[in-house]
Amino acid sequence: MHVDTPHLTGHGPARRDDLRNLAIVAHVDHGKTTLVDSLLKQAGTFSAHESIAERVMDSNDLEREKGITILAKNTSVRWGGVTLNIVDTPGHADFGGEVERALTMVDGIVLLVDAAEGPLPQTRFVLRKALGYDMPVILVINKIDRPDARVKEVVDEAYELFMDLDASDEQLDFPIVYCSGRDGWASLDENTAHDESLRGDSLAPLCDVILDTIPSPAYTPDAPLQAWVTNLDANQYVGRLALCRVIEGTIEKGKQVAWCRLDGTIQRTKVAELFLTEQLTRVPVDSAGPGDLVAVAGIEEITIGETLADAENPVPLPRITVDEPALSMT
Ligand code: GDP
């Protein structure tokens, strides 16, 4: 765990300045996977034997190929000493519950829109939910290299969409980044669409906007553990994995926790294994702190919406309402 000395401003909460949790949302084919590939490549995270062409978010085939590697459902990239946890969201509107669960793990959204196609139904669907959670949104106009890019119109369409969804003035004040995920560059200057000499050679401008716009996770120093189970996964070696966002306190491998169940009962149980995501894989750790997105093994019947809390002082978090029962158990 890397909880820095609490950065206290006035009476506000402490913050994990070394962490940002965000979701990239996009209509199918608007370039989410390619952008994450490029981020990983630029952050220098692929080892020599891995091909950059491998699709990172669609991890099932890869997982099968590698056999023993536990691939994460989210991806994390280190940028300027900060860990960016990137949570995937489904590219289609059928899995409503899954979008909501992804949003409960993050503090902001990168809304990726194809520079030629403009906002499409999934963009609208997820944006409506994100605005409801009152999260900052960064608009990324992607594929700006396309000869048929119509940047100004697409930006206007995005503003119309925000207004149509009753965004507040503050929400309408979103930053815009122009980007070619495929070619691996981003810019704050819309003229890059017409003037190639203005294009940089990296995604640094996008990462800087993420660091400036998406708040670092807030927490209360010395608060007892509260971790929210927001999704499930499974692995043949460790069984069921509860994917949690630690809200307060520290969760530790081998320690007792209070498992606050949906039926209102509280059971003491032990954390057998803990994993954090590094790049594409889960790595075992001894502890995780506030804001961390952690996978917890050892609690076979745990389910979404439950809380892992301090063994002595258990305070359950509110339930997450889930409107579809299907859970992917890869
Ligand atoms: P996803 O469904 O959002 O994950 O989209 P993908 O990343 O799979 O990309 C969909 C298609 O768009 C692929 O054929 C990519 O090669 C292409 N693509 C992705 N990013 C860019 C880009 O920046 N520029 C161009 N011209 N094509 C891109």
Side-chain angles (χ1 to χ4, degrees):
M1 187 185 56
H2 342 265
V3 179
D4 288 343
T5 316
H7 172 72
L8 293 167
T9 43
H11 297 290
R15 294 202 170 271
R16 281 289 301 277
D17 285 335
D18 61 334
L19 197 57
R20 298 292 187 282
N21 293 327
L22 62 129
I24 301 188
V25 297
H27 194 89
V28 134
D29 278 348
H30 281 199
K32 188 166 57 172
T33 312
T34 305
L35 176 64
V36 174
D37 276 349
S38 290
L39 280 168
L40 283 162
K41 183 176 151 200
Q42 289 189 19
T45 54
F46 276 92
S47 54
H49 66 277
E50 284 173 315
S51 151
I52 287 149
E54 282 172 340
R55 308 259 101 180
V56 297
M57 298 295 244
D58 306 326
S59 59
N60 290 348
D61 291 340
L62 243 176
E63 182 160 16
R64 240 171 269 130
E65 244 170 68
K66 291 191 177 176
I68 54 164
T69 311
I70 307 172
L71 273 166
K73 282 196 169 178
N74 53 330
T75 306
S76 92
V77 175
R78 291 281 290 172
W79 195 272
V82 177
T83 299
L84 309 181
N85 284 321
I86 302 169
V87 175
D88 197 14
T89 56
H92 31 69
D94 316 351
F95 299 106
E98 195 148 343
V99 171
E100 270 132 23
R101 294 201 298 270
L103 292 177
T104 59
M105 298 178 91
V106 303
D107 300 304
I109 301 288
V110 167
L111 184 68
L112 196 67
V113 178
D114 184 305
E117 292 198 350
L120 286 174
Q122 178 67 355
T123 326
R124 181 188 180 88
F125 173 79
V126 182
L127 181 60
R128 188 199 301 119
K129 305 240 178 236
L131 294 176
Y133 282 79
D134 208 16
M135 279 181 195
V137 177
I138 298 166
L139 176 65
V140 175
I141 307 293
N142 192 33
K143 307 197 192 180
I144 217 111
D145 60 275
R146 279 180 70 152
D148 56 348
R150 39 182 201 98
V151 178
K152 278 202 164 65
E153 278 167 54
V154 168
V155 169
D156 286 346
E157 287 166 17
Y159 275 114
E160 275 163 32
L161 178 60
F162 273 71
M163 286 192 289
D164 206 29
L165 295 172
D166 293 326
S168 65
D169 288 350
E170 207 179 13
Q171 286 171 328
L172 273 171
D173 197 21
F174 51 82
I176 307 176
V177 181
Y178 305 89
C179 169
S180 169
R182 188 195 63 189
D183 298 343
W185 58 264
S187 165
L188 304 183
D189 185 343
E190 67 172 288
N191 295 315
T192 44
H194 324 288
D195 186 346
E196 292 187 22
S197 70
L198 294 173
R199 294 177 186 180
D201 59 1
S202 86
L203 292 164
L206 170 61
C207 293
D208 291 344
V209 169
I210 289 172
L211 295 188
D212 287 348
T213 308
I214 296 180
S216 45
Y219 67 100
T220 316
D222 304 321
L225 169 68
Q226 284 182 305
W228 211 356
V229 182
T230 52
N231 211 340
L232 299 175
D233 203 352
N235 173 276
Q236 65 184 109
Y237 302 100
V238 294
R240 177 169 285 198
L241 286 164
L243 309 186
C244 307
R245 174 164 174 156
V246 181
I247 308 291
E248 301 282 9
T250 303
I251 187 164
E252 290 176 83
K253 180 181 167 179
K255 290 276 171 68
Q256 290 279 317
V257 290
W259 169 24
C260 307
R261 307 203 61 181
L262 289 180
D263 63 8
T265 59
I266 296 180
Q267 268 172 250
R268 300 289 181 286
T269 186
K270 203 173 101 171
V271 173
E273 293 274 357
L274 274 183
F275 301 89
L276 285 178
T277 303
E278 257 176 39
Q279 301 144 26
L280 304 173
T281 57
R282 294 208 168 104
V283 293
V285 292
D286 289 333
S287 69
D292 279 328
L293 306 184
V294 70
V296 180
I299 313 170
E300 270 311 304
E301 303 205 339
I302 196 163
T303 194
I304 289 168
E306 296 185 328
T307 302
L308 293 176
D310 188 273
E312 307 305 323
N313 185 10
V315 183
L317 289 156
R319 288 180 186 203
I320 303 170
T321 42
V322 184
D323 53 16
E324 40 89 34
L327 301 171
S328 64
M329 300 286 291
T330 44

